């Protein structure tokens, strides 16, 4: 029977963690490692260990169709994006229990940019690569880059089957680096995917990796089936949360901290329902403002992905018949005996990071390849009835931003989500280039004996405008939303670099919402690594008074300001020195300009224009290369 927790019971807790997904599971295990620390973990999904199907990698499509196992959030598409529903895990482990099992860390350059965006070296590559290695139990063994002995088992999609070997060769023919591991410091190139699958073929979720072994600890209390609606605050300090299980209203109190780990969609909703957010947005939603933080819910970014189906010449190369009828029974038996086969694979077998243009500083497109193709459908499509494969492209680190807001004061109201995909010209150019990269890869000689052609679902899109229309119709979220409660050095940024919410004491956030920059690839590995860092921050602050924490914050701010002043002075000195050099070279430069005026001018293709991007680099040409003619292939079942 549902019960209301008394204040005496709730006061036993040092930490309340909201959400048992990728971050919350890690934090629950780490913070409860001290037997004298009382930890409460709250999860809206039901069940003590998730669903049995979450352990079977190939069962993810069944889970994604089950509304009791996933949330479906309606998303306003904006003028160029698709109308869709964002799916998120609704069970212990969160989306790590239903997703594609791809382990993508982000490269060294990604974390260097993250450190600059947050204003803190705590988020730079040295610290984050250490945290990532601590998580991993890698099939390749340990090294300076890879972890061994951690709770998250990783295996690679090897040995590669003939079709995937041919895709690798096609990548080499495209000039892409051949990569053995997708999680090198420089991820540029094409190679096997790393899956969160153990040596028995079972999916590894955040829950199974961290909470399953810790849930018997007497100082860790886990409550499932609880929806948290609000953070309770008094005089600028968080002291608990309130929520609901069924029809029972619940109140949980803490003498320590509240840590929101509910994800980039629900964390800002909980904060706004608590009166924490942009004052104008709160008034429009009919919610009293308790703390004005203008950027909560804003800054939403997500990877938009476009999947293309390619008809294969032979059934032996496609998994489309592996998930139904007698073949499903055979594959199920194989999986039970060996943990291998179609039911033991992650969502993609190859992953590539490539550049849309030669002038970009780091890869800005991710490509995945899989030996199955899905029918176009609302929600989760089913395998086509003819042999096919899928090539999917993602525009990395988009500039376009949207928002997630509470729609009103009633917690039952779904959040308002505006993805605002492809709202900048730069994102649109990269989206167009992404499809052309997929087509260029599929038409390489190495794949001629495997691929018959592109199906008509996407083959009709020839011009740039056609391709953008294709995105509007058929692209989908990659479920990598970030940025809605982001870290940053400015007082208007919701969080500081130690994940403390500015203006409300004893309240932190740790989930994908914290990232002001998007790590290349996925969010699972970055969020779990961020949770390790958060545990370090929290334990370092344990036992300190609010006054001591405020003094430490002031010292950190003064140190950062001093560093900024030093950098500014260095930049001025460098600029002055460069000006002197430029002046000294001016006379010689005039002669050199005359000598080279006609020697080596860049020539653009006819009809192309030279465009300058916002970072000052040039993308050339703006009119992308013409494609080779292709054959259209009807999708399975088309008339």
């Amino acid at each position: 029977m549902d019960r209301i927790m008394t204040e005496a019971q709730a006061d036993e807790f040092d930490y309340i963690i909201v959400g048992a997904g990728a971050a919350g599971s890690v934090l629950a295990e780490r913070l409860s490692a001290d037997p004298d620390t009382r930890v409460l973990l709250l999860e809206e999904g039901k069940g003590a260990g998730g669903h049995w199907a979450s352990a079977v990698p190939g069962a993810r499509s069944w889970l994604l169709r089950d509304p009791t196992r996933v949330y479906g959030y309606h998303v306003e598409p904006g003028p160029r994006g698709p109308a869709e529903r964002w799916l998120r895990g609704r069970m212990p482990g969160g989306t790590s229990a239903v997703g594609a099992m791809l382990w993508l860390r982000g490269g060294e350059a990604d974390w260097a940019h993250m450190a600059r965006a947050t204003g803190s070296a705590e988020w730079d590559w040295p610290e984050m690569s250490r945290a990532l290695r601590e998580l991993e139990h890698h099939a390749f063994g340990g090294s300076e880059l890879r972890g061994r002995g951690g709770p998250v088992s990783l295996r690679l999609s090897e040995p590669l089957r003939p079709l995937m070997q041919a895709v690798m060769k096609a990548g080499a023919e495209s000039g892409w680096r051949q990569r053995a591991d997708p999680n090198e410091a420089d991820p540029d190139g094409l190679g096997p995917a790393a899956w969160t699958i153990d040596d028995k073929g079972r999916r590894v979720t955040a829950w199974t990796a961290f909470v399953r072994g810790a849930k018997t600890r007497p100082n860790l209390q886990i409550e499932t089936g609880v929806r948290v609606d609000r953070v309770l605050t008094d005089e600028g300090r968080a002291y608990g949360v309130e929520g609901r299980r069924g029809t029972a209203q619940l109140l949980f109190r803490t003498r320590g901290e509240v840590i929101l780990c509910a994800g980039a969609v629900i964390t800002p909703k909980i904060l706004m329902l608590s009166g924490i957010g942009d004052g104008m947005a709160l008034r429009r939603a009919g919610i009293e403002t308790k703390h004005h933080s203008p950027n909560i819910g804003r800054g939403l970014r997500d990877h938009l992905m476009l999947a293309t189906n390619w008809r294969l010449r032979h059934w032996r190369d496609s998994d489309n018949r592996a998930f139904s009828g007698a073949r499903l029974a055979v594959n199920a038996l194989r999986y039970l005996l060996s943990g291998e086969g179609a039911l033991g694979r992650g969502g993609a077998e190859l992953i590539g990071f490539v550049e849309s243009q030669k002038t970009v500083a780091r890869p800005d497109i991710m490509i995945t390849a899989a030996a199955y193709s899905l029918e176009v459908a609302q929600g989760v499509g089913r395998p086509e009835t003819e042999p096919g494969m899928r090539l999917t492209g993602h525009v990395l680190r988009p500039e376009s931003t949207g928002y997630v807001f509470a729609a009103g004061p009633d917690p039952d109201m779904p959040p308002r989500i505006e993805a605002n995909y492809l709202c900048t010209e730069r994102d649109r150019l990269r989206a167009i280039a992404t499809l052309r990269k997929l087509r260029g890869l599929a038409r390489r000689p190495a794949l001629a004996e495997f691929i018959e052609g592109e199906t008509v679902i996407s083959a009709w899109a020839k011009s740039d405008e056609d391709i953008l229309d294709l995105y509007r119709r058929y692209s989908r979220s990659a479920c990598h939303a970030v940025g809605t409660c982001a870290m940053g050095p400015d007082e208007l940024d919701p969080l500081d670099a130690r994940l403390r919410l500015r203006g409300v004491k004893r309240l932190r956030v740790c989930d994908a919402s914290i990232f002001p920059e998007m790590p290349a690839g996925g969010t699972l590995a970055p969020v779990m690594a961020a949770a390790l860092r958060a545990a370090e921050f929290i334990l370092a602050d344990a036992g300190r008074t609010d006054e001591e924490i405020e003094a430490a914050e002031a010292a950190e701010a003064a140190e950062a300001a001093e560093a900024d002043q030093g950098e500014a002075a260095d930049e001025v000195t460098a600029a002055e020195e460069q000006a002197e050099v430029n002046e000294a070279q001016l006379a010689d430069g005039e002669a050199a300009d005359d000598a080279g005026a006609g020697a080596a001018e860049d020539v653009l293709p006819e009809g192309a224009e030279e465009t300058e991007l916002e970072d000052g680099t040039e993308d050339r040409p703006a009119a992308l290369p013409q494609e080779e003619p292709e054959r259209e292939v009807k999708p399975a079942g088309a008339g």
Side-chain angles (χ1 to χ4, degrees), residues 205-264:
T205 72
W207 179 273
T208 59
F210 284 91
V211 180
R212 179 173 287 173
K215 65 182 180 180
T216 57
R217 293 173 180 171
N219 62 319
L220 174 60
Q221 183 165 329
I222 301 170
E223 297 284 340
T224 60
V226 175
R227 187 190 73 189
V228 171
D229 296 330
R230 295 178 181 87
V231 177
L232 302 174
T233 60
D234 182 39
E235 296 183 351
R237 183 187 186 279
Y239 67 87
V241 298
E242 69 175 31
R244 190 171 69 185
R245 178 192 281 132
T247 58
Q249 294 296 121
L250 303 175
L251 171 66
F252 304 92
R253 292 177 180 264
T254 176
R255 57 175 171 261
E257 295 192 25
V258 174
I259 310 159
L260 294 182
C261 305

Side-chain angles (χ1 to χ4, degrees), residues 574-596:
E576 291 174 348
E577 292 175 351
Q578 186 60 49
E580 292 176 2
V581 171
N582 291 345
E583 186 177 350
Q585 293 177 340
L586 182 59
D588 291 341
E590 290 176 355
D593 289 342
D594 292 339

Side-chain angles (χ1 to χ4, degrees), residues 374-435:
L374 301 179
E375 296 174 342
V376 174
Q378 289 293 327
V380 181
R382 299 180 184 277
E384 292 185 310
T385 57
E386 294 182 44
M389 69 171 294
R390 171 164 282 205
L391 294 174
T392 303
H394 307 68
V395 179
L396 299 179
R397 295 177 294 274
E399 295 178 328
S400 305
T401 61
Y403 61 81
V404 178
F405 289 156
D410 184 355
D412 289 334
M413 297 177 70
R416 289 175 49 215
I417 307 173
E418 168 64 83
N420 207 23
Y421 295 122
L422 303 181
C423 74
T424 72
E425 181 66 14
R426 190 173 187 178
D427 285 352
R428 291 192 287 273
L429 285 173
R430 278 152 178 72
I432 294 165
T434 296
L435 179 57

